[in-house]
Every structure is written in C-alpha cells, then in structure tokens.
Amino acid sequence: MRRGGAVVILLLLATLLGCAQERSITLWHSYRAQERAALEAMAAEWNVRHPDQRLELLAVPNDTFPDKITAAVPRGHGPDLIIHAHDRLGDWIETGIVEPLEFFADEKLCDRFIGPVLQAMTFRGSLYGLPLAFKSTALFYNRTLVPKPPETTDELVALGRTLTDRKAGKFALVYRPARLYDHAPWLHGFGGAIFDDGGKLDLLGPGALEAVAFAKSLAGPDGIVPAEVEGHLLAALFNDGRGAMVISGPWFIGEIKPGVAYGVAPLPVVSATGKRAAPFLGVEGLMMSSRARNKAQAFEVMRFLTSDELALRRAVEARQVVANVAVYRDPAVRKDPVIMAFRDQAEHARPMAATPEMRMVWTPYDLALQAIMAQGAEPRAALGEAQKQILAYLKGAGR
C-alpha cells in the first residue's frame, strides 16, 4: 500500500507540474542592459495581470542563440516565444521551428506597425512574427563641424573636400567601405541589388558596379573616407573630431562621448540616380515556436508585448527605435531627434533578405569589396568572382 501510495503521489506531482508548465509561457531573448530591463519590467506587468498564466524569460547569449533555438525546438525543449532578428526566418521556417501567424493576427493588429518593418517579418506571403524594433544605419554628424548634414552625395563630396586632411588623419566621413552591410546604402541608392525581383543572384548589374565605383572614389587616395577602419576606430575618430560624419546604427549612440554635440539624419540622396541611399533594415521580432504548448495563450503575450502602450515605454525608457506607428505621434518621442531620424530612415531602407541564400553572400561580397578597396582589383572581376563562389555554395547546398 505504501508503494502504491507513493506512486500515486508521484503521478499527482507530475500532473500538477505539467499543468503549471501548460499555464506558463517561456520566452527566450538576447537583450542586454536597458532593453533587457525594459523587457523584464513588461514581463512582470504581464504576470501581475495574469497570475495564472506566467511569462518566464530566459536570456541567451546572442552568439549562441540561433544554434540553441535550432537544436532545442525540434526536440520540444525550446521556448514558446522567441525574440530575434528577422534574418533567421528563412532557416527557421524551412526547418519548421516558427509558426505562421495568419490564424491569430488580424488587419487591425497589423496596422500597428510601420509597413516596411512588418514586411520584414513576412516570408513568401505569410506572416511569421510581430516586429518589436528595427535597426538600420543612418548619418551621424558632429554639429560643430557639420552644422547642416548633406542632402545629396554631391553635397557630401563637396563638403568632404573642405573637412578632409588625410595627412593629419582627419576625414569627412567614416564607415567601413569594404563591408557589404555598410556598403548597402550606395548599392541600393545606385539601383543595385543582391537578388533580382525573381530571386536570382545578380551582383553584376549596372547599379552594383556604379555603387562600387562611387565607394572606391570615396575611399581612394584623394577621397574623404579612410580605406580601412574597424568598429572601434569609428567611435575614436568621431569622438576626437577627426571624423566629421559616421555611417552607423543606433548601437553607435552608446559609444559617443558625453559632451560631443551630434545629430543624426537620413542618408543622402544619390545625385546620379535621384534615389535616396537605402541601408539594410534589420527587424527584431517576436516569433512563436511551432512547438508552443498553448499557441492561443502565447499569441496573447505577443499581442501584449507589441502593444502601442509598451512600445512607447520601450522608446522612452530604453530608447529603442520601435516598430509601432502610433509611438511616433507621441510628443515625447517626437522631441527625440535621434529616434525620429531613424524612423525617417526606415522609409528608405531595404529589409534584409531572410533567406538561407543571403547568409552565403556576406563573406564573398566582403572579400570582393576588400580586393577592390585595398588591393586595386577591377570591380567587375572581383564581383564576378564573388558571384561564382556564391553560386558554388548554393549548388553545394542544393539550392
């Protein structure tokens, strides 16, 4: 009898534990600092309002996050909800890790979000996440050296000639010309692309070649940009007044020294085409695991965390560039010129392709840019070699 009673108690405890797990929602993220604090405060608020449906958070280091998701979810050990950049969507959709949201999301909910930002969370016509925040590069400028930011690339180059003294180590513009991510504004502004409208790799279009020629002129011996510069040097040059302007994203704000008077503006119009320079748009979204234990409950958490009310708090308290349209009508946010500049830049940005194919592009393209900028390689030959490498990778991966 004792043995039978013990078995009954164990079964009861297991049942109760299972019920408790069914009533909770787990969310994995890789936020740090102010963003993490804001998310934890929002989770605590949910738990006060829903004591029988707790939201449990787990912070996972960003560099291991994708691999942990890929390994855990198919085995049923992962979270119900995921916060991550949208660039992994294609992989996670193909492997059945994330859940499509058409059944849950209605038109009213989708209208909360800025159009290009919501678009980044879609894949092949289906919605797979709700956007929280977005990031792109824009133009940081030292107000002492640049009272008015240039509106065109012709103005940028003309201003650059007055501010650049290469012998003294002073440059009008600082960015990483040999990195595709940083080069993207010129690529798109000159009408180039990575993939054409049909999804075919196309690194050798006229716009792509013109963009590389322009970038090479900026970083050449008589240019206004240093040919080689890494991330830490961008901040050093800007903070010391040796770099008048910098192309970077919201993360750069934390690297600017107190006392440096700076502004942020959308990147200029490319004079040769009349198109605005368009950086890549990266979106941090809230996605649902295909193995979520209670999908309806999990979606209610998604609806709560992406509400206009909480987005406003994230914008004000964590200075996130949030995805909700209504936030940018708030007086407190409209008074923040940095956030508003990134909001304006989003209208002239290209959502980064969320396909597995895009992940095979970065290294060959970067190597081609390095060969062009630092080694004098001919642009068509260097980009042609990159295209061959990428196509070989795609063929090897069965794509």
Side-chain angles (χ1 to χ4, degrees), residues 113-185:
F113 308 112
I114 297 167
V117 180
L118 183 67
Q119 178 191 345
M121 302 306 300
T122 64
F123 191 82
R124 294 172 183 163
S126 292
L127 179 67
Y128 283 92
L130 300 182
L132 287 164
F134 60 91
K135 294 175 181 176
S136 74
T137 57
L139 187 69
F140 286 78
Y141 60 98
N142 183 316
R143 289 185 178 278
T144 302
L145 300 172
V146 183
K148 181 177 179 294
E151 295 183 2
T152 68
T153 53
D154 281 351
E155 289 183 18
L156 173 69
V157 172
L159 176 64
R161 292 196 182 102
T162 69
L163 295 173
T164 300
D165 183 344
R166 298 184 74 90
K167 291 182 179 179
K170 295 182 178 180
F171 299 93
L173 179 65
V174 184
Y175 77 105
R176 300 178 300 178
R179 297 292 181 92
L180 172 58
Y181 184 81
D182 296 55
H183 176 69

Side-chain angles (χ1 to χ4, degrees), residues 154-353:
D154 281 351
E155 289 183 18
L156 173 69
V157 172
L159 176 64
R161 292 196 182 102
T162 69
L163 295 173
T164 300
D165 183 344
R166 298 184 74 90
K167 291 182 179 179
K170 295 182 178 180
F171 299 93
L173 179 65
V174 184
Y175 77 105
R176 300 178 300 178
R179 297 292 181 92
L180 172 58
Y181 184 81
D182 296 55
H183 176 69
W186 312 134
L187 172 66
H188 299 139
F190 277 91
I194 303 297
F195 300 97
D196 65 19
D197 293 340
K200 183 180 178 181
L201 186 70
D202 182 21
L203 305 190
L204 294 170
L209 295 172
E210 291 170 14
V212 169
F214 174 73
K216 189 173 182 179
S217 72
L218 292 181
D222 299 319
I224 65 174
V225 173
E228 295 185 44
V229 60
E230 285 305 318
H232 66 283
L233 270 179
L234 268 72
L237 290 169
F238 191 74
N239 287 329
D240 294 345
R242 291 179 291 136
M245 295 173 282
V246 166
I247 297 176
S248 193
W251 54 87
F252 187 67
I253 296 169
E255 300 179 38
I256 300 174
K257 285 196 310 188
V260 175
Y262 74 93
V264 182
L267 290 160
V269 170
V270 173
S271 299
T273 64
K275 298 179 180 180
R276 187 170 288 279
F280 281 129
L281 182 71
V283 177
E284 289 174 350
L286 189 54
M287 302 165 229
M288 185 191 300
S289 164
S290 60
R291 302 293 292 271
R293 290 160 295 181
N294 186 329
K295 291 184 171 66
Q297 182 177 317
F299 189 78
E300 287 309 306
V301 174
M302 297 177 74
R303 188 189 299 273
F304 172 77
L305 292 178
T306 60
S307 67
D308 290 343
E309 173 192 354
L310 295 191
L312 177 59
R313 281 167 45 183
R314 286 187 284 115
V316 173
E317 297 171 13
R319 294 200 80 189
Q320 270 192 332
V321 187
V322 298
N324 298 54
V325 175
V327 168
Y328 297 95
R329 295 194 289 266
D330 184 89
V333 175
R334 293 191 68 82
K335 290 179 183 177
D336 189 323
V338 173
I339 287 181
M340 291 305 298
F342 280 107
R343 166 67 181 90
D344 292 343
Q345 184 68 76
E347 297 295 334
H348 306 283
R350 299 283 184 88
M352 198 181 301

Side-chain angles (χ1 to χ4, degrees), residues 346-366:
E347 297 295 334
H348 306 283
R350 299 283 184 88
M352 198 181 301
T355 61
E357 289 83 353
M358 184 63 196
R359 288 172 53 203
M360 300 184 185
V361 169
W362 296 102
T363 298
Y365 208 115
D366 284 354

Side-chain angles (χ1 to χ4, degrees), residues 54-171:
R54 290 190 59 79
L55 175 58
E56 307 290 345
L57 304 180
L58 177 66
V60 178
N62 187 62
D63 56 347
T64 62
F65 195 105
D67 290 339
K68 286 184 179 294
I69 290 292
T70 301
V73 171
R75 294 173 174 81
H77 303 310
D80 300 293
L81 297 175
I82 302 161
I83 293 178
H84 197 268
H86 82 280
D87 62 323
R88 286 283 179 159
L89 264 183
D91 291 296
W92 289 346
I93 292 165
E94 287 192 357
T95 51
I97 285 174
V98 292
E99 182 80 4
L101 300 179
E102 282 89 348
F103 179 78
F104 304 99
D106 55 25
E107 187 174 344
K108 182 179 179 181
L109 176 65
C110 292
D111 284 345
R112 285 181 182 175
F113 308 112
I114 297 167
V117 180
L118 183 67
Q119 178 191 345
M121 302 306 300
T122 64
F123 191 82
R124 294 172 183 163
S126 292
L127 179 67
Y128 283 92
L130 300 182
L132 287 164
F134 60 91
K135 294 175 181 176
S136 74
T137 57
L139 187 69
F140 286 78
Y141 60 98
N142 183 316
R143 289 185 178 278
T144 302
L145 300 172
V146 183
K148 181 177 179 294
E151 295 183 2
T152 68
T153 53
D154 281 351
E155 289 183 18
L156 173 69
V157 172
L159 176 64
R161 292 196 182 102
T162 69
L163 295 173
T164 300
D165 183 344
R166 298 184 74 90
K167 291 182 179 179
K170 295 182 178 180
F171 299 93

